[in-house]
Amino acid sequence: MTMMKLDTKHAFLKEDIASYQEKVNVLHEQLMNKTGKGNDFVGWVEWPNAYDKEEFARMKEVAASMREKCDVFVVCGIGGSYLGARAAVEMVNGLYSKDKVEMVFLGNTFSSTYIKQVLDYIADKEVCVNVISKSGTTTETALAFRLLKQFMEEKYGKEEARNRIVATTDKEKGTLKTIADKEGYETFVIPNDIGGRFSVITPVGLFPIAVAGIDIDALMSGVKKAYDDLSSPDLSKNDAYAYAVCRRILENQGKNVEMLVTYEMQMTMVAEWWKQLLGESEGKEEKGNLPTSANFSTDLHSLGQFVQEGKKVLYETLLLINKPALDMTFPHDEENLDGMNYLSGKSLDWVNKMACQGTLEAHEETGGVPNLILTLEDMSAESFGYMCYFFFRACAMTCYLLDINPFNQPGVEVYKKNMFRLLGK
Ligand code: PA5
């Protein structure tokens, strides 16, 4: 049974998904045979079978020893070197986890206020650090890591700091690799042929996720299940490819904005991760849909008005969760002063699902907004792994359908060039 399903009944598709089958067959072959655009970066495709099992076991061991040592685990990275881990930790553990290790994220901003506040916050805690950078030169990460390294060496001394810092970077080259070798840090490898936004299923994501107490064996078993379920290009069986095709059909219908909608607060960072995956992969050559996101019902009280009655530029992709992680029954109140007794005895998840259904009807029927629905079984580690791989395959296919290389990000360099000039680098 597949763990993530697509429903297109509410999407107002004006083309038949099956009419893309021939094209999809060709592009699928290109992806699998490494003959498509950006074929140097398709290591993630076979990763569910090919990942380094020894390194995987070492990650679990080091993660266990870090969990013994620290109250706070600082993940220092940005973009693909941070979003996946944070998305997993929040989705699986929730936003107010009682896990003994608190995850803190740094290296993802130049905000002086944020950086200083984090350093102050961790000052009197037991700290371990994972610095993650494939290039090893990303400025946000390098800046924060210099501060963190000094902080750790002052707090623990050079020797103990070395035992508490792990670097995840290129196997052979880069500034971070040089620092890690010189200082003798434990290191994990970012594979050459896997780009940042596809790297959550490598040590980039897996190591911090393991430190957060999440079962990475289960996560990788979800990845493998998705690999198996999505092995055929048949659009009647492969929902990732069908979703990729739907995005193109909706774009052909003039919808250039895709809003990923979740109904779980702890899925917010998953949406951020998804935005990077789609935005950085597809937004090239003046093509692509703008990926945006909302958390309902919270954002129905802000963006809901636009979705219902604003300019008809968008479609929604609902990312729904079948089984909530937690639930409770709404209590009865004899006085009923708040008039809420109509919900007595109902589960809170049922209320959330009714809000979703009512909103879908409103946006679809009155608002005329197409809705794609993706339903994920639950918010477990296994489902997280499944979902990531599902979106990887969908992302590659949807970009190939646009004749775009999904795996580079040339546009990101422009701001860096200007910034370096201004910084006097
Ligand atoms: O997806 C990508 O490739 C980017 O978002 C990178 O992950 C991000 O820029 C960080 O790069 P690095 O890991 O080299 O520090």
Side-chain angles (χ1 to χ4, degrees), residues 78-81 132-136 138 141 195-197 276 280 409:
I78 195 167
S81 289
I132 309 171
S133 178
K134 186 173 184 189
S135 62
T138 302
T141 306
R197 54 196 177 275
Q276 189 217 3
E280 216 167 62
Q409 52 283 330

Side-chain angles (χ1 to χ4, degrees), residues 173-305:
K173 56 181 194 306
T175 313
L176 181 55
K177 174 68 182 155
T178 311
I179 297 175
D181 286 348
K182 176 161 182 296
E183 298 293 349
Y185 298 151
E186 181 83 53
T187 54
F188 294 114
V189 172
I190 308 183
N192 269 334
D193 55 355
I194 303 184
R197 54 196 177 275
F198 292 80
S199 69
V200 59
I201 59 175
T202 75
V204 170
L206 294 178
F207 178 61
I209 292 169
V211 176
I214 294 169
D215 180 352
I216 58 172
D217 284 296
L219 193 157
M220 286 309 286
S221 104
V223 171
K224 177 70 167 82
K225 275 191 186 158
Y227 174 91
D228 292 339
D229 287 351
L230 305 171
S231 60
S232 155
D234 183 342
L235 286 165
S236 66
K237 296 192 185 120
N238 188 322
D239 276 358
Y241 285 173
Y243 164 61
V245 167
C246 289
R247 297 181 80 253
R248 297 282 72 93
I249 295 177
L250 287 165
E251 189 179 40
N252 292 343
Q253 291 171 209
K255 305 295 178 191
N256 292 311
V257 179
E258 177 178 21
M259 180 181 270
L260 189 80
V261 175
T262 63
Y263 277 79
E264 296 285 350
M265 298 301 258
Q266 66 204 61
M267 293 291 284
T268 301
M269 283 308 296
V270 166
E272 294 302 312
W273 169 85
W274 170 90
K275 280 193 274 193
Q276 189 217 3
L277 180 68
L278 271 302
E280 216 167 62
S281 300
E282 190 183 65
K284 287 159 206 167
E285 302 173 28
E286 303 197 10
K287 296 182 186 169
N289 293 354
L290 172 70
T292 180
S293 65
N295 194 279
F296 289 172
S297 69
T298 313
D299 295 332
L300 287 173
H301 299 260
S302 58
L303 291 169
Q305 173 61 38

Side-chain angles (χ1 to χ4, degrees), residues 73-128:
F73 190 71
V74 183
V75 179
C76 184
I78 195 167
S81 289
Y82 131 85
L83 283 161
R86 185 161 182 182
V89 171
E90 293 197 2
M91 170 169 153
V92 180
N93 285 352
L95 298 176
Y96 296 95
S97 158
K98 290 209 173 113
D99 189 67
K100 76 176 276 290
V101 179
E102 184 185 358
M103 307 299 282
V104 168
F105 297 90
L106 206 61
N108 54 350
T109 177
F110 287 124
S111 162
S112 56
T113 308
Y114 180 81
I115 294 169
K116 183 71 172 70
Q117 194 163 40
V118 168
L119 291 172
D120 289 347
Y121 178 70
I122 64 176
D124 59 356
K125 309 220 165 30
E126 289 301 332
V127 183
C128 288

Side-chain angles (χ1 to χ4, degrees), residues 9-12 255 304 307-309 312 314 316 318 354 356-373:
K9 284 195 290 292
H10 309 269
F12 307 136
K255 305 295 178 191
V307 178
Q308 189 72 46
E309 295 182 346
K312 299 293 165 204
L314 66 85
E316 290 168 285
L318 307 189
M354 291 307 104
C356 174
Q357 202 173 304
T359 307
L360 174 63
E361 277 171 30
H363 290 181
E364 181 194 354
E365 288 165 23
T366 331
V369 177
N371 270 257
L372 293 167
I373 304 178

Side-chain angles (χ1 to χ4, degrees), residues 3-4 91-92 264 266-267 319-325 375-387:
M3 293 170 73
M4 182 140 144
M91 170 169 153
V92 180
E264 296 285 350
Q266 66 204 61
M267 293 291 284
L319 178 53
L320 304 180
I321 303 296
N322 219 1
K323 288 188 215 119
T375 305
L376 187 61
E377 196 42 31
D378 54 29
M379 292 186 284
S380 64
E382 191 178 25
S383 293
F384 180 84
Y386 194 99
M387 176 193 69

